[in-house]
């Protein structure tokens, strides 16, 4: 039978102060009188206790009472920091993060035996005395005097709670914690006054509940629920008598009685608690005998804190969620408010991450690139029309050990969100130029001469003119293949990734519309946070971006021109059930449906007859996408989509400095990496697994007539890619003096 707390004694038996009785002056007098009573009755006997003797310090009762009166009456009990749990879209736990591993319980959620065991071992007369236990003071002083040392203290459970509050408010400030724990006269006086105040404002049961939620039980466990889970792997309400006694015994010295490190000491201490339960008639003799015969029965669960504990490669997404909470004004007007919300914890954060698609993305990057390879891969999946981030994977594991190729840099996101400075997207940026041109009124059959090499022409910017002041190779831009000689129309130029075509398109509409289109599609700045530069090489993808950004650009095309801000959090609740407002994705039509459908038609051509022709999915559903490779092969991309899912894949050196020529990746030697041969297969594997069993939805496309037959036998014939056609070119070489001052582009399309 579970032990129960004895009926609370009648108030006439205990001279306790009550809130609301008498005037403020009378209550103040009672405060002082209580303290003076303790001081006078204890007298020199206090010399043997933790509280230094008033007489030994040369203080009179009046001096001490004056000190007591000078302490402010207000005592604020803090909102306890708790663990926050982050869940995926199907309710699976991604990770638990906390400053303090704690779950606050109500009295009803605690095992009665736990509550009673803690009282019996710490303050058996808790329900009989007020804030100060006069009998306990005299008894402790007498025993300490007999022994000549401090062998017994007299702090009540309420006073211990006050001390714990002071420690909790000190947080991780070591000096503040040390100050809160100092055994000085001033500190004792303060604890006494606040204990008196608490006993006026709260019931004994409330004080006990607060105490059990705040107290430290060792091994990173704060409060009885975290302690129950840590040592026994169960909820506090399910504890047995010996288990509750084990936890109750830890409070006095969590290190000395640590059941994992010192099982014999822990068991001996447990048995002392069991004897106290029996002595106070809260368990029977048979229950005590059975409890003491039981083994410790530990089911120890080591502390698992933070995104580093996340499973299935979800650590980087977990870290991204942390940055969202700390940076989005929806979670607090100031950075300090948002940090407090995160540090305070006690949140259940439900995210958009789809565990099945996360597995698909992680399997794809890990199956094609090894952790030990000189390059890494990253992939982000977004649901078109909602902005939901469904997957975020990379080959380098989340962690702090560089010897294991671990990193905490999220290659999928911008620097401000835990990522690096991004990677040049190469030709995957060309659809942005095409979108700007189509929105400016150019037809889908727009043709340009597109010779094999051209000088960068003069172009209009948002506030001036860009002029080509370079010399040598940096002055011009070539196509990848010597056979790529125009004229070309858009569909053919996109399929073959013809550089000179898009530079000429850019010249006709100007650089400003390209920059503005990039902004509309979510490329508001470089991944580093620096502004986009208006240079002709924009068309060739020289502005460093992140996979998340590019995935969302292509998700906008898939959603027929509807751009949505990336969404990672769908709902947040506090542990008490209250909701925390979460900003919804902001979705807007940023380009016309006709423009989006035209782009989808053109990008479908890339995967049907162009540089991405080998990347068809196993179920033969329609796809659209674009390959991209940067200068010196330091980054390669494939960004593509179906109506349900948009995915961007990057492959390259984590620090951007690995040239992917004559390189071994995943055990296979490669002479030269391109978008179609490096990230392309990763994209295909990820999409095949992610879309398996889903409806085969057709792309929204329009009719675009094919260009007329070519007459020049030396040029490429038809819209199909030439053998060996790629998306890469030599460096566009736009380094020169410019009105807006830009650096040398280092990416290729």
């Amino acid at each position: 039978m579970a032990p129960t707390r004895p009926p609370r004694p009648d108030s006439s038996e205990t001279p306790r102060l009550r809130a609301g009785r008498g005037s403020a002056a009378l209550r103040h007098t009672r405060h002082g009188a209580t303290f003076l009573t303790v001081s006078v009755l204890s007298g020199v006997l206090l010399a043997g206790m933790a509280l230094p003797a008033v007489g030994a310090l040369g203080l009179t009762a009046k001096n001490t009472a004056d000190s007591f009166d000078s302490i402010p009456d207000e005592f604020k009990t803090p909102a306890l920091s708790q663990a926050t749990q982050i869940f995926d879209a199907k309710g699976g736990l991604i990770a638990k993060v906390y400053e303090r591993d704690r779950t606050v319980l109500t009295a009803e959620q605690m095992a009665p035996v736990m509550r009673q065991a803690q009282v019996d071992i710490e303050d058996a007369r808790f329900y009989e005395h007020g804030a100060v236990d006069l009998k306990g003071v005299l008894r402790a002083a007498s025993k300490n005097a007999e022994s000549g040392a401090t062998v017994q203290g007299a702090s009540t459970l309420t006073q211990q709670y006050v001390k714990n509050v002071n420690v909790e408010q000190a947080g991780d400030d070591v000096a503040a914690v040390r100050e809160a724990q100092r055994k000085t006269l001033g500190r004792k006086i303060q604890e006494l006054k606040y204990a008196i105040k608490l006993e006026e404002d709260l019931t004994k049961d409330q004080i006990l509940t607060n105490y059990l939620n705040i107290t430290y039980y060792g091994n990173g466990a704060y409060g009885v629920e975290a302690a129950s889970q840590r040592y026994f792997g169960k909820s506090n309400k399910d504890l047995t008598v010996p288990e509750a006694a084990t936890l109750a015994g830890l409070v006095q010295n969590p290190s000395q009685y640590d059941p994992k490190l010192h099982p014999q000491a822990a068991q001996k201490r447990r048995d002392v608690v069991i004897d106290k339960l029996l002595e106070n008639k809260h368990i029977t003799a048979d229950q005590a005998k059975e409890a003491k015969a039981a083994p410790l029965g530990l089911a120890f669960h080591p502390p698992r804190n933070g995104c580093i504990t996340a499973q299935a490669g979800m650590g980087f997404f977990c870290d991204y969620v942390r940055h969202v909470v700390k940076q989005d004004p929806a979670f607090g007007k100031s950075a300090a408010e948002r940090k407090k919300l995160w540090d305070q914890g006690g949140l259940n954060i439900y995210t958009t991450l789809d565990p099945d698609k996360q597995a698909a993305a992680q399997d794809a990057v890990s199956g094609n690139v090894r952790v030990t390879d000189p390059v890494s891969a990253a992939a982000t999946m977004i649901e078109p029309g909602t902005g939901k981030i469904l997957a975020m994977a990379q080959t380098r594991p989340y962690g702090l050990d560089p010897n294991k190729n671990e990193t905490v840099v999220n290659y999928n996101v911008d620097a401000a969100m835990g990522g690096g400075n991004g990677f040049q997207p190469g030709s995957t940026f060309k659809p942005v130029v095409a979108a700007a041109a189509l929105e400016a009124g150019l037809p889908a059959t727009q043709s340009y001469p597109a010779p094999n090499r051209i000088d960068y022409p003069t172009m209009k910017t948002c506030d001036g003119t860009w002029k080509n002041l370079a010399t040598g190779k940096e002055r011009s831009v070539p196509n990848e293949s010597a056979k790529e000689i125009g004229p070309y129309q858009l569909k053919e130029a996109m399929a073959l990734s013809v550089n000179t075509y898009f530079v000429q398109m850019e010249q006709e509409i100007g650089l400003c519309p390209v920059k503005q289109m990039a902004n509309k599609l979510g490329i508001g700045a470089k991944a580093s946070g620096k502004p986009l530069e208006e240079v002709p090489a924009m068309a060739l993808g020289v502005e460093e971006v992140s996979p998340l950004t590019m995935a969302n650009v292509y998700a906008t095309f898939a959603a027929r021109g509807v751009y949505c801000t990336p969404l990672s959090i769908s709902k947040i609740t506090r542990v008490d059930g209250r909701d925390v407002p979460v900003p919804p994705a902001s979705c807007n039509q940023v380009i016309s449906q006709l423009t989006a459908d035209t782009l989808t038609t053109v990008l479908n051509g890339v995967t049907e007859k162009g540089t991405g022709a080998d990347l068809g999915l196993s179920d033969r559903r329609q796809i659209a996408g674009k390959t991209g490779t940067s200068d010196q092969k330091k980054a390669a991309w494939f960004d593509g989509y179906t109506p349900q899912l948009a995915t961007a894949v990057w492959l390259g050196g984590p620090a951007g400095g690995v040239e992917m020529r004559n390189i071994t990746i995943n055990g296979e030697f490669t002479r030269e990496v391109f978008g179609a041969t490096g990230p392309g297969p990763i994209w295909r594997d990820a999409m095949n697994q992610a879309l398996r069993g889903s409806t085969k939805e057709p792309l929204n496309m329009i009719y675009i007539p094919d260009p007329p037959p070519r007459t020049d036998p030396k040029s490429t014939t038809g819209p199909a890619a030439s053998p060996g056609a790629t998306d890469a070119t030599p460096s566009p070489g736009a380094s020169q003096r410019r009105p807006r001052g830009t650096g040398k582009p280092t990416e290729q399309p």
Side-chain angles (χ1 to χ4, degrees):
M1 175 174 79
T4 58
R5 178 178 60 79
R8 184 171 175 168
D10 185 86
S11 59
S12 61
E13 297 179 16
T14 308
R16 297 179 59 246
L17 300 176
R18 302 276 184 179
R21 288 187 179 180
S23 65
L26 179 57
R27 289 198 302 273
H28 186 70
T29 300
R30 286 175 175 168
H31 289 178
T34 302
F35 180 76
L36 286 173
T37 299
V38 176
S39 300
V40 172
L41 287 177
S42 304
V44 180
L45 293 178
L46 286 170
M49 296 174 53
L51 177 63
V54 173
L57 294 177
L59 298 175
T60 64
K62 181 180 184 302
N63 295 144
T64 312
D66 288 342
S67 298
F68 183 86
D69 290 340
S70 67
I71 299 172
D73 284 329
E74 185 178 12
F75 177 71
K76 294 183 178 179
T77 56
L80 299 180
S81 60
Q82 302 184 64
T84 284
Q85 298 186 101
I86 303 175
F87 300 95
D88 63 35
K90 292 188 176 182
L93 181 66
I94 294 176
K96 185 165 70 169
V97 297
Y98 50 80
E99 295 296 318
R100 298 274 192 274
D101 187 7
R102 176 190 284 121
T103 300
V104 173
L105 301 180
T106 63
E108 293 72 27
Q109 292 171 320
M110 296 176 181
V113 68
M114 181 72 231
R115 294 172 66 85
Q116 196 60 68
Q118 202 69 75
V119 169
D120 284 356
I121 193 62
E122 292 293 320
D123 186 1
R125 299 182 61 256
F126 175 63
Y127 284 97
E128 300 171 25
H129 59 67
V132 181
D133 182 7
L134 301 183
K135 290 183 180 180
V137 169
L138 295 174
R139 181 179 64 252
S142 176
K143 289 189 176 182
N144 292 341
E146 290 175 4
S147 66
T150 302
V151 296
Q152 188 175 102
S155 291
T156 64
L157 192 146
T158 305
Q159 289 171 265
Q160 293 178 45
Y161 171 65
V162 171
K163 179 182 288 186
N164 281 332
V165 168
N166 291 332
V167 172
E168 177 76 15
Q169 290 175 326
D172 294 325
D173 187 329
V174 176
V177 170
R178 189 181 297 115
E179 176 62 26
Q181 294 175 328
R182 286 180 62 194
K183 296 179 179 180
T184 64
L185 178 60
R187 178 65 63 184
K188 282 293 183 180
I189 292 172
Q190 183 192 66
E191 289 174 4
L192 285 171
K193 181 164 187 177
Y194 288 152
I196 293 169
K197 175 65 175 170
L198 274 175
E199 295 250 352
E200 286 187 343
D201 295 340
L202 302 177
T203 67
K204 287 286 191 178
D205 281 341
Q206 288 172 328
I207 293 171
L208 177 59
T209 299
N210 290 353
Y211 177 84
L212 291 170
N213 278 319
I214 200 173
T215 298
Y216 182 58
Y217 287 87
N219 281 293
Y222 289 81
V224 292
E225 179 63 13
S228 301
Q229 297 289 353
R230 177 77 72 253
Y231 295 108
F232 299 108
K234 61 172 65 175
S235 175
N236 184 263
K237 64 182 176 60
D238 298 323
L239 292 179
T240 63
V241 171
E243 291 168 346
T246 298
L247 297 186
L250 283 171
V251 172
Q252 186 181 84
N253 193 322
S255 298
Q256 180 179 334
Y257 300 124
D258 184 337
K260 187 172 184 295
L261 297 179
H262 309 293
Q264 291 182 337
Q267 186 160 339
K268 184 176 180 180
R269 176 66 175 168
R270 178 201 70 175
D271 292 349
V272 170
V273 178
I274 293 171
D275 287 339
K276 284 289 184 181
L277 284 165
L278 177 60
E279 177 185 330
N280 290 294
K281 296 183 172 53
H282 294 131
I283 59 175
T284 66
D286 287 342
Q287 285 177 313
K289 182 179 180 181
E290 181 181 354
K292 293 173 77 171
L296 279 177
L298 288 186
F300 188 79
H301 290 65
R304 293 183 59 81
N305 180 23
C307 296
I308 201 168
T309 66
Q311 301 299 311
M314 297 181 183
F316 296 101
F317 179 78
C318 170
D319 188 67
Y320 178 77
V321 169
R322 178 176 67 88
H323 278 86
V324 169
V325 174
K326 287 191 171 185
Q327 294 186 38
D328 194 321
F331 298 110
K333 294 181 180 179
S334 67
E337 288 181 18
R338 297 189 291 272
K339 183 179 185 300
K340 181 179 179 181
L341 175 67
W342 182 263
D343 292 347
Q344 191 75 47
L347 306 174
N348 290 320
I349 302 178
Y350 300 92
T351 72
T352 59
L353 197 74
D354 184 312
D356 297 327
K357 290 179 174 57
Q358 173 66 25
Q362 192 63 48
D363 289 347
V365 296
S366 298
N368 287 275
V369 182
R370 296 176 182 175
V371 171
T372 54
D373 284 344
V375 295
S376 185
T380 296
M381 293 180 171
I382 288 183
E383 182 177 74
T386 68
K388 291 181 180 179
I389 302 172
L390 303 180
M392 189 177 283
Q394 69 185 53
T395 50
R396 297 291 167 95
Y398 188 86
L400 299 170
D401 189 349
N403 294 322
K404 296 180 180 179
N405 293 295
E406 294 177 344
T407 181
V408 292
V409 178
N410 186 349
Y411 302 137
N412 279 288
V413 302
D414 292 352
M417 303 303 290
N421 291 331
F423 311 95
Q424 295 176 331
S427 291
T428 60
F429 192 86
K430 286 174 179 172
V432 178
V433 179
L438 293 169
E439 288 287 282
L442 271 63
T445 54
Q446 179 66 37
S447 176
Y448 292 109
N452 188 255
R453 179 184 288 269
I454 61 171
D455 284 351
Y456 284 108
T458 298
M459 297 187 189
K460 293 290 185 182
T461 65
C462 290
D463 55 5
T465 302
W466 182 92
K467 295 181 180 180
N468 191 343
L469 303 178
T471 58
K473 291 183 178 180
E474 293 183 350
R475 183 175 178 82
S476 63
V477 55
N479 291 329
E480 167 65 13
S481 171
K483 296 180 179 180
E484 290 177 357
I485 302 172
Y488 291 107
Q489 292 187 9
L490 176 60
K491 190 162 63 171
E492 185 181 15
M494 189 72 79
L496 296 175
S497 200
V498 179
N499 295 329
T500 58
Y501 177 92
F502 289 96
V503 170
Q504 290 182 319
M505 175 176 275
E506 195 176 42
Q507 179 192 21
E508 179 165 352
I509 63 175
L511 291 170
C512 192
V514 176
K515 179 181 179 180
Q516 292 172 340
M517 178 55 65
N519 294 163
K520 288 181 180 180
L521 294 171
I523 311 175
K526 297 181 183 181
S528 64
K530 295 180 180 179
L532 295 177
E533 300 174 76
E534 292 180 75
V535 294
M538 284 180 71
L540 309 180
V542 299
E543 313 276 7
E544 295 88 349
V545 293
S546 66
L548 172 61
T549 296
M550 293 309 293
N552 213 22
V553 168
Y554 282 71
T556 303
F557 300 155
R560 308 190 72 191
V562 175
Y563 169 82
C564 298
T565 55
L567 186 68
S568 59
I569 300 173
S570 56
K571 181 181 180 181
I572 298 180
T573 62
R574 298 184 185 273
V575 290
D576 60 8
R578 291 180 296 140
D579 286 337
V580 174
V582 171
S586 175
C587 297
N588 297 285
Q589 189 85 38
V590 295
I591 58 176
S592 69
Q593 286 190 356
L594 177 59
T595 292
D597 293 349
T598 301
L599 286 170
T600 293
T601 306
V602 170
L603 293 174
N604 173 253
V606 173
T607 63
E608 292 286 339
K609 300 177 180 180
T611 57
D614 292 332
L615 301 178
L617 300 184
S618 57
D619 61 5
R620 300 182 181 277
R621 70 177 69 211
Q622 292 179 328
I623 60 173
K626 184 71 185 77
T627 56
T629 311
S630 74
D631 184 27
Q632 298 178 337
K633 306 297 186 292
K634 290 183 179 179
W637 296 71
F638 188 81
D639 305 339
Y641 57 92
T642 68
Q644 309 106 303
L645 186 62
T647 300
V649 176
W650 157 84
L651 175 69
V658 178
E659 189 172 327
M660 292 186 290
R661 288 190 175 98
N662 300 317
I663 189 172
T664 298
I665 301 175
N666 197 34
E668 295 185 8
F669 176 80
T670 302
R671 188 180 66 82
E672 203 168 19
V673 170
F674 296 99
T677 60
I682 298 174
W683 183 91
R684 182 182 57 211
D685 291 351
M687 293 291 280
N688 273 332
Q689 184 174 333
L691 294 171
R692 188 174 297 139
S694 65
T695 303
K696 292 168 62 175
E697 296 183 16
L699 293 170
N700 293 291
M701 295 191 288
I702 65 169
Y703 171 71
I704 302 176
D706 289 330
R710 294 179 180 276
T711 57
D712 183 356
K714 295 182 180 180
S715 65
T716 301
T717 57
S722 302
T726 70
D727 51 71
T729 71
S731 171
S735 176
Q736 54 211 292
R737 290 171 294 171
R738 306 184 182 95
R740 297 181 62 85
T742 63
K744 178 182 177 180
T746 57
E747 287 272 349
Q748 280 187 300

